[in-house]
Amino acid sequence: MNYRYVIRELGLVMIVLCLCMVAVMGFAAWNWSGGNEDERMAVLALVMSAVVGAVAGLFCWLFGNRSGKDYLGRREALLLVALTWLIGAAVAALPYFAWAWMEDEILTNHAFSSFVSCYFESMSGLTTTGATVLGDIEGIPKGLLLWRALTHWLGGLGIVMLFVAVLPTLGVGGKKLFQVETPGPKHDGGVRPRIADTARTLWLIYMGLTIAAILSLRLTGAMGWFDSVCHAFSMVSTGGLSTRDASIGYYDSVAVDMVCMVFMLLAGVNFALFYTLARGKFVNVFRDTELRVYIVLKIVVTIFVAFNLLGQPIISTGGRVIEQAHAGQALQFSAFQTVALHTGTGFVTADYDPWPFLSRVLLIGLMFIGGCAGSTAGGIKVIRFWVALKVMASEMEKIFRPNVVRPMKVGKSVVDNETAASAVVYFLAILVLFAIGAFLIGEFEGRAGRPDFQTAMSASVSTLCNVGPGLHGVGPTMNYGWFSPGSLTVMSLLMLLGRLEVFTILVLLLPRFWRSD
Amino acid sequence: MNYRYVIRELGLVMIVLCLCMVAVMGFAAWNWSGGNEDERMAVLALVMSAVVGAVAGLFCWLFGNRSGKDYLGRREALLLVALTWLIGAAVAALPYFAWAWMEDEILTNHAFSSFVSCYFESMSGLTTTGATVLGDIEGIPKGLLLWRALTHWLGGLGIVMLFVAVLPTLGVGGKKLFQVETPGPKHDGGVRPRIADTARTLWLIYMGLTIAAILSLRLTGAMGWFDSVCHAFSMVSTGGLSTRDASIGYYDSVAVDMVCMVFMLLAGVNFALFYTLARGKFVNVFRDTELRVYIVLKIVVTIFVAFNLLGQPIISTGGRVIEQAHAGQALQFSAFQTVALHTGTGFVTADYDPWPFLSRVLLIGLMFIGGCAGSTAGGIKVIRFWVALKVMASEMEKIFRPNVVRPMKVGKSVVDNETAASAVVYFLAILVLFAIGAFLIGEFEGRAGRPDFQTAMSASVSTLCNVGPGLHGVGPTMNYGWFSPGSLTVMSLLMLLGRLEVFTILVLLLPRFWRSD
């Protein structure tokens, strides 16, 4: 294992993060000069954090740079990825902590006074989860809110780069999964130019989506530029952090809802498909089985939930009370919540916690499934879910026809046994981690009375699948600020595990991984 | 599909069940003649049920007998197995229903007044689950209690025959699983003589275990003959129905606890191992990986739970209150509950519902895992759990060493990809069915207020894994009598699914299964 190289690259990541902080600091300073006194502390916090982070990053870079070898193997790549999120979240948490530390006199018991909570918030940002410890989001300076949104955007970009450009080229992890239907870009030449080429195209796609999202949100007229930018960052990364306590429900606008749905939907699609589209291969995209299942799932659940809500009361997170929802309202709120939770964005327009049991269960089910592979969405991923269903069907057929061998197909491609087994194992691993997570959260909270199972379970699935809100104690109108440090640490780990596709992190626990051979 | 043949064999099953009823009726009549007036109605109920069942069975047999073909294919076998439990449970439920119907004047709102509850009780018996709808077990005539225990014994015998003698020979389902380590009996000659030969040995083993259990229980001095027989039937089939409201806790005897633990432990072992033992191959048995994992799991959990209970209050189901458990008591109750729940027997000596969270979670975890394959225990089965763990480990290694191919081994045998995939898919299927079950139970009960998640979840796992008791509303001191008919139907199906290893039942839902080709 080439540790020095890993540390050098990690140093670079930290420096990049700090440069981003400086950019956000520029915005905060401009805001402050415009007469907004609240921003003063945000500017200070961002400067201090950027300096501390950059010094640490530089130290890492210099230490690592003494190594002459410039080789990134599979194991180095895996370690680097894990450390990027683990250490990156610590660096990204500095501004929150520094701010609360300086505002000490006017804040009492603020969530950001604890570093564990700050770490949770920045991990939630970088993993594009969107769970927040903040009860009063609107009381935070705009500079910090922009930083929060930017962590989403950076995290989302990192994930797309990683899972579409880097890892498949290295032959790590999800490779086979992407090649089921949407063969990734293939060029001649070595690994590095290939990665660079793919990365450039993905970067352009991601930027394009972001700009389109900002403009669309601004054009609805309901949002100012600041809110548009923050929510756009949050949407294209399927993050979910908002600048408002009531999330998207604050705007109470059908136009905003529609724009959000379109961009959340797009952000949950495999970015390799956009890549294919950019290469002009339209037919391949519409034949994509994962995309079809992804859309059909949404339509079916939306209709179910809408029927379920018909004539029921709906309370928007903005406080509007609908006594008896008519068809249009039921459809509007059901479609928004379905898209927001399935893609793992976690925006909310209505308090779905008191919705009928069936609706809640379907929404939780979609959280588990998540968006498409190669997107910024979390969860098991549609393609794995689909393959697992196919494996079950074939397992059943084997019972009464043990001698019939039928190749398993997704669309027109044959799925080999290894890929199928991988998908099923991943599904199982998510369920097991979910159970362990729910148990640990319940155990940590249980010390203060009996654990609330619904809260513990939904907090576990919501963080593991990078969604954000859950049910009950972590419902749409609640936040994660009340959890004990133990639970927050567990959930930070769950977010990381879910984000980096579980085994990419778990592999670090294998002794064999560390043995040099 | 040779329907007539299936119906003929089903008729035979019904007639056999009715003959067993007649035998139990003999006991009830003898008891009645001894002056026990309560038994009069039990005798009548058993006679009526036996007549109705036998006539229906005879009708089926005659109808099916007109078919000249005497061929049992895979599909016929699967259909017959499913119908045996589905229709068998209806026949076995008749005595309960008839009794409550005749005792109408003195019973108000008795659980047995509803046929759905009676069906649940007899399905619980035949699937060796041990969940009961009865709140006042001791108020039921002894004739019916014996019938209840006998359904366990018959169900357990059926499962052993099916999964060790019949299905593997037909090449159905679990075949490969058994051959991982304990190659089943192999003889020359056709299928039928082989089945008959294996079945005879298994029958002798099962009978031997039963007689040993009866004598051991009687020798403790704490139980009379009647209780000894009923509990022995319950134990060797890992059932769990008791003749006492307080279950084994009623006797408050260390000797009884010890005897029960030994026989529950034995009943959770793969019966193919006893078969091997009967053939004199001791070494094979002690090298069996599944057996080792099965025992180690128990020891580890017992120690954990015992530590957890140390100094805590323990309330026995018999009503004895231990203020602060010392090491011996903690170990006694923890070992009993661990063995009882892991093997899916579901006997209880202590109310574990208020036990520490960690203990409850470990016990629920063991319920999922269950005993060994080829035993009467429920759950995922130890060998599948073990193989799934190995698959996960190999999946992780693949991430950083995609080119290393290492054969997966359990003990000294290599597990092929197909078997490994089967184990993982089964694990996944159990978790998904558990979730669907918990959801449906929650939904049915939710109509009468918010569903209690802990109750719904533990009822789902406890019935699906054929255990019996769960937590909270279905805890050790509670029963299933309060559930709505909808939930009881769902749970009856869960018991059936868990008992017949899921896919054996789910396969009937495939249209392809019914197409003749």
Side-chain angles (χ1 to χ4, degrees):
Chain A
M1 181 78 79
N2 189 344
Y3 288 105
R4 283 190 184 260
Y5 186 75
V6 171
I7 291 172
R8 193 187 80 183
E9 298 289 301
L10 187 64
L12 266 182
V13 168
M14 288 159 77
I15 293 169
V16 169
L17 268 180
C18 293
L19 288 178
C20 293
M21 270 182 216
V22 171
V24 172
M25 193 264 298
F27 163 78
W30 171 77
N31 217 346
W32 176 27
S33 70
N36 200 329
E37 269 306 307
D38 287 352
E39 299 298 319
R40 197 165 56 94
M41 287 301 182
V43 172
L44 269 176
L46 284 161
V47 170
M48 282 168 58
S49 309
V51 170
V52 171
V55 168
L58 210 62
F59 182 79
C60 287
W61 190 76
L62 288 173
F63 173 78
N65 213 17
R66 286 192 295 165
S67 147
K69 286 174 287 174
D70 189 25
Y71 169 73
L72 185 75
R74 279 195 192 87
R75 298 192 303 161
E76 283 80 7
L78 288 166
L79 183 60
L80 178 59
V81 164
L83 288 179
T84 295
W85 261 264
L86 272 172
I87 309 284
V91 173
L94 289 177
Y96 307 140
F97 189 63
W99 174 75
W101 181 58
M102 289 184 298
E103 290 278 33
D104 194 24
E105 282 176 19
I106 55 164
L107 301 170
T108 44
N109 288 325
H110 193 273
F112 282 165
S113 307
S114 137
F115 189 74
V116 175
S117 298
C118 296
Y119 189 80
F120 176 91
E121 189 85 5
S122 70
M123 184 61 98
S124 161
L126 287 175
T127 57
T128 79
T129 302
T132 182
V133 294
L134 294 174
D136 174 22
I137 298 170
E138 285 152 46
I140 302 286
K142 284 190 173 181
L144 289 185
L145 290 183
L146 184 64
W147 174 244
R148 236 165 126 247
L150 191 61
T151 55
H152 265 347
W153 193 80
L154 292 171
L157 183 65
I159 286 301
V160 170
M161 292 293 179
L162 200 62
F163 282 94
V164 186
V166 183
L167 292 188
T169 327
L170 285 177
V172 169
K175 181 194 173 193
K176 297 215 164 183
L177 208 60
F178 295 101
Q179 293 186 342
V180 165
E181 276 260 295
T182 51
K186 273 178 191 148
H187 297 278
D188 294 326
V191 166
R192 281 187 170 269
R194 244 197 290 166
I195 293 185
D197 186 49
T198 317
R200 200 175 308 120
T201 313
L202 289 173
W203 159 260
L204 287 174
I205 294 168
Y206 195 72
M207 278 301 288
L209 270 181
T210 310
I211 292 169
I214 295 175
L215 294 178
S216 307
L217 285 176
R218 185 67 192 88
L219 280 176
T220 61
M223 285 190 195
W225 282 108
F226 177 73
D227 283 13
S228 299
V229 168
C230 288
H231 285 109
F233 283 179
S234 199
M235 273 186 329
V236 296
S237 62
T238 66
L241 290 176
S242 170
T243 55
R244 303 291 176 179
D245 291 326
S247 187
I248 300 299
Y250 173 86
Y251 303 98
D252 199 10
S253 145
V254 178
V256 170
D257 286 9
M258 295 291 287
V259 168
C260 287
M261 276 194 267
V262 168
F263 282 96
M264 291 191 290
L265 206 70
L266 287 175
V269 170
N270 190 339
F271 271 69
L273 279 187
F274 293 125
Y275 190 95
T276 315
L277 211 60
R279 292 259 177 285
K281 294 176 184 162
F282 297 96
V283 184
N284 292 15
V285 172
F286 294 106
R287 280 207 189 125
D288 188 70
T289 306
E290 186 177 25
L291 185 65
R292 290 180 181 183
V293 177
Y294 171 73
I295 289 169
V296 168
L297 269 177
K298 281 207 180 47
I299 294 174
V300 170
V301 173
T302 297
I303 292 172
F304 260 101
V305 174
F307 263 106
N308 225 206
L309 287 180
L310 214 60
Q312 300 281 322
I314 299 179
I315 304 167
S316 94
T317 49
R320 186 155 67 95
V321 179
I322 297 165
E323 296 285 350
Q324 283 192 320
H326 60 63
Q329 290 165 329
L331 206 61
Q332 182 195 343
F333 284 100
S334 121
F336 188 92
Q337 233 37 77
T338 304
V339 174
L341 297 177
H342 186 201
T343 58
T345 310
F347 277 156
V348 284
T349 53
D351 183 3
Y352 57 78
D353 202 43
W355 284 8
F357 190 68
L358 181 63
S359 293
R360 279 179 292 148
V361 168
L362 284 175
L363 291 175
I364 294 276
L366 282 189
M367 284 187 191
F368 272 110
I369 297 174
C372 301
S375 76
T376 57
I380 293 158
K381 307 287 180 330
V382 173
I383 187 74
R384 289 205 186 90
F385 171 73
W386 193 243
V387 169
L389 284 189
K390 292 232 163 191
V391 173
M392 285 208 191
S394 94
E395 195 66 21
M396 276 189 253
E397 191 168 0
K398 251 184 246 161
I399 287 178
F400 66 98
R401 281 188 189 146
N403 305 319
V404 175
V405 178
R406 205 187 292 269
M408 190 188 303
K409 285 189 171 185
V410 169
K412 287 186 174 176
S413 319
V414 173
V415 182
D416 64 275
N417 277 339
E418 217 182 318
T419 310
S422 281
V424 177
V425 170
Y426 190 83
F427 199 148
L428 185 59
I430 284 282
L431 292 185
V432 170
L433 280 177
F434 154 69
I436 294 174
F439 153 63
L440 287 175
I441 295 167
E443 175 67 8
F444 280 121
E445 298 315 311
R447 288 174 192 171
R450 273 215 160 195
D452 169 359
F453 265 66
Q454 203 170 158
T455 302
M457 286 202 312
S458 65
S460 179
V461 49
S462 196
T463 48
L464 179 63
C465 295
N466 303 118
V467 179
L471 295 172
H472 222 64
V474 292
T477 60
M478 313 294 281
N479 63 72
Y480 288 75
W482 57 274
F483 278 106
S484 66
S487 298
L488 288 175
T489 310
V490 168
M491 288 188 278
S492 299
L493 274 175
L494 287 176
M495 293 192 270
L496 183 71
L497 281 164
R499 181 70 288 174
L500 297 177
E501 308 234 301
V502 180
F503 293 116
T504 321
I505 294 294
L506 289 185
V507 77
L508 303 182
L509 304 177
L510 284 187
R512 225 176 253 170
F513 179 82
W514 300 97
R515 242 174 272 150
S516 57
D517 54 349
Chain B
M1 180 79 79
N2 190 345
Y3 288 107
R4 282 188 185 263
Y5 185 76
V6 171
I7 291 172
R8 192 187 81 184
E9 298 290 302
L10 186 65
L12 265 182
V13 168
M14 288 159 76
I15 293 169
V16 169
L17 268 179
C18 293
L19 289 179
C20 293
M21 272 182 215
V22 171
V24 172
M25 194 266 296
F27 162 78
W30 170 78
N31 215 347
W32 176 27
S33 70
N36 199 331
E37 268 306 306
D38 287 350
E39 299 297 320
R40 196 164 58 94
M41 288 302 182
V43 172
L44 268 176
L46 284 161
V47 170
M48 282 169 58
S49 308
V51 169
V52 171
V55 167
L58 210 62
F59 180 80
C60 287
W61 190 75
L62 288 174
F63 173 80
N65 213 14
R66 285 192 294 163
S67 146
K69 286 175 286 177
D70 190 23
Y71 170 71
L72 186 74
R74 278 194 193 88
R75 298 192 302 161
E76 282 81 5
L78 288 166
L79 183 61
L80 178 59
V81 165
L83 287 178
T84 295
W85 261 264
L86 272 171
I87 310 282
V91 173
L94 289 176
Y96 307 140
F97 189 63
W99 173 76
W101 181 58
M102 289 184 297
E103 290 278 33
D104 194 23
E105 282 175 22
I106 55 163
L107 301 170
T108 45
N109 288 324
H110 193 272
F112 282 165
S113 308
S114 138
F115 189 75
V116 175
S117 297
C118 296
Y119 188 80
F120 177 92
E121 189 85 5
S122 71
M123 184 60 97
S124 161
L126 287 174
T127 57
T128 79
T129 303
T132 182
V133 294
L134 293 174
D136 175 23
I137 299 170
E138 285 152 46
I140 303 287
K142 285 192 172 178
L144 288 185
L145 289 182
L146 184 63
W147 173 242
R148 235 165 127 247
L150 191 60
T151 56
H152 264 348
W153 193 80
L154 292 171
L157 183 64
I159 285 301
V160 170
M161 293 292 179
L162 201 61
F163 282 94
V164 186
V166 182
L167 292 188
T169 327
L170 285 177
V172 170
K175 180 196 175 193
K176 297 215 164 184
L177 207 59
F178 294 102
Q179 292 186 343
V180 165
E181 276 261 294
T182 51
K186 272 175 193 152
H187 296 279
D188 296 326
V191 167
R192 283 191 167 266
R194 244 198 289 167
I195 294 185
D197 185 49
T198 318
R200 200 176 308 118
T201 313
L202 288 173
W203 159 260
L204 287 174
I205 294 168
Y206 195 73
M207 278 301 288
L209 269 181
T210 311
I211 292 169
I214 296 174
L215 294 178
S216 306
L217 285 177
R218 185 68 191 88
L219 280 176
T220 61
M223 287 190 194
W225 282 108
F226 176 73
D227 283 11
S228 300
V229 169
C230 288
H231 284 110
F233 283 179
S234 200
M235 272 185 330
V236 296
S237 63
T238 66
L241 291 175
S242 170
T243 54
R244 303 290 177 179
D245 292 324
S247 187
I248 300 299
Y250 173 88
Y251 303 99
D252 199 10
S253 143
V254 178
V256 170
D257 286 8
M258 295 292 287
V259 169
C260 286
M261 277 193 267
V262 168
F263 282 96
M264 291 192 290
L265 207 69
L266 287 175
V269 170
N270 190 340
F271 271 69
L273 280 186
F274 292 125
Y275 189 96
T276 315
L277 211 60
R279 293 258 176 286
K281 294 176 185 161
F282 297 95
V283 185
N284 292 15
V285 171
F286 294 106
R287 281 208 189 126
D288 188 70
T289 306
E290 186 177 25
L291 185 64
R292 289 181 182 183
V293 177
Y294 170 74
I295 289 169
V296 169
L297 270 176
K298 281 206 180 48
I299 294 174
V300 170
V301 173
T302 297
I303 292 172
F304 260 103
V305 174
F307 263 106
N308 226 204
L309 287 179
L310 213 61
Q312 300 282 321
I314 298 179
I315 304 167
S316 93
T317 50
R320 184 155 69 94
V321 178
I322 297 165
E323 297 286 350
Q324 285 194 318
H326 61 63
Q329 290 164 328
L331 206 61
Q332 182 195 343
F333 285 100
S334 124
F336 188 91
Q337 233 38 78
T338 304
V339 174
L341 296 177
H342 186 200
T343 57
T345 309
F347 277 155
V348 284
T349 53
D351 183 2
Y352 57 78
D353 201 42
W355 284 8
F357 190 68
L358 181 65
S359 293
R360 280 181 288 149
V361 169
L362 284 175
L363 292 175
I364 294 277
L366 282 190
M367 285 188 189
F368 272 109
I369 298 174
C372 301
S375 76
T376 58
I380 293 159
K381 306 289 179 329
V382 173
I383 186 76
R384 288 205 188 90
F385 171 72
W386 194 243
V387 169
L389 284 188
K390 293 232 164 191
V391 173
M392 286 207 190
S394 94
E395 195 66 21
M396 276 189 257
E397 190 168 2
K398 252 185 245 159
I399 286 178
F400 66 98
R401 280 188 189 147
N403 305 319
V404 175
V405 178
R406 204 187 293 271
M408 189 188 302
K409 285 188 169 184
V410 168
K412 288 188 175 175
S413 318
V414 173
V415 182
D416 64 274
N417 277 337
E418 217 181 317
T419 310
S422 281
V424 178
V425 170
Y426 190 82
F427 199 148
L428 185 59
I430 285 282
L431 291 186
V432 170
L433 279 177
F434 154 68
I436 294 175
F439 154 60
L440 287 175
I441 295 166
E443 175 66 9
F444 280 120
E445 299 313 313
R447 288 174 193 171
R450 274 216 162 193
D452 169 359
F453 265 66
Q454 202 169 162
T455 304
M457 287 203 311
S458 64
S460 179
V461 49
S462 196
T463 49
L464 179 63
C465 296
N466 303 118
V467 179
L471 295 172
H472 222 66
V474 293
T477 60
M478 313 294 281
N479 63 71
Y480 288 74
W482 57 275
F483 277 107
S484 65
S487 298
L488 289 174
T489 309
V490 168
M491 287 188 279
S492 301
L493 274 173
L494 286 177
M495 292 192 268
L496 183 71
L497 281 163
R499 183 68 288 174
L500 296 176
E501 307 233 304
V502 181
F503 293 116
T504 321
I505 295 293
L506 289 186
V507 78
L508 303 182
L509 304 178
L510 283 187
R512 225 176 252 170
F513 178 83
W514 301 96
R515 242 175 271 150
S516 59
D517 55 350

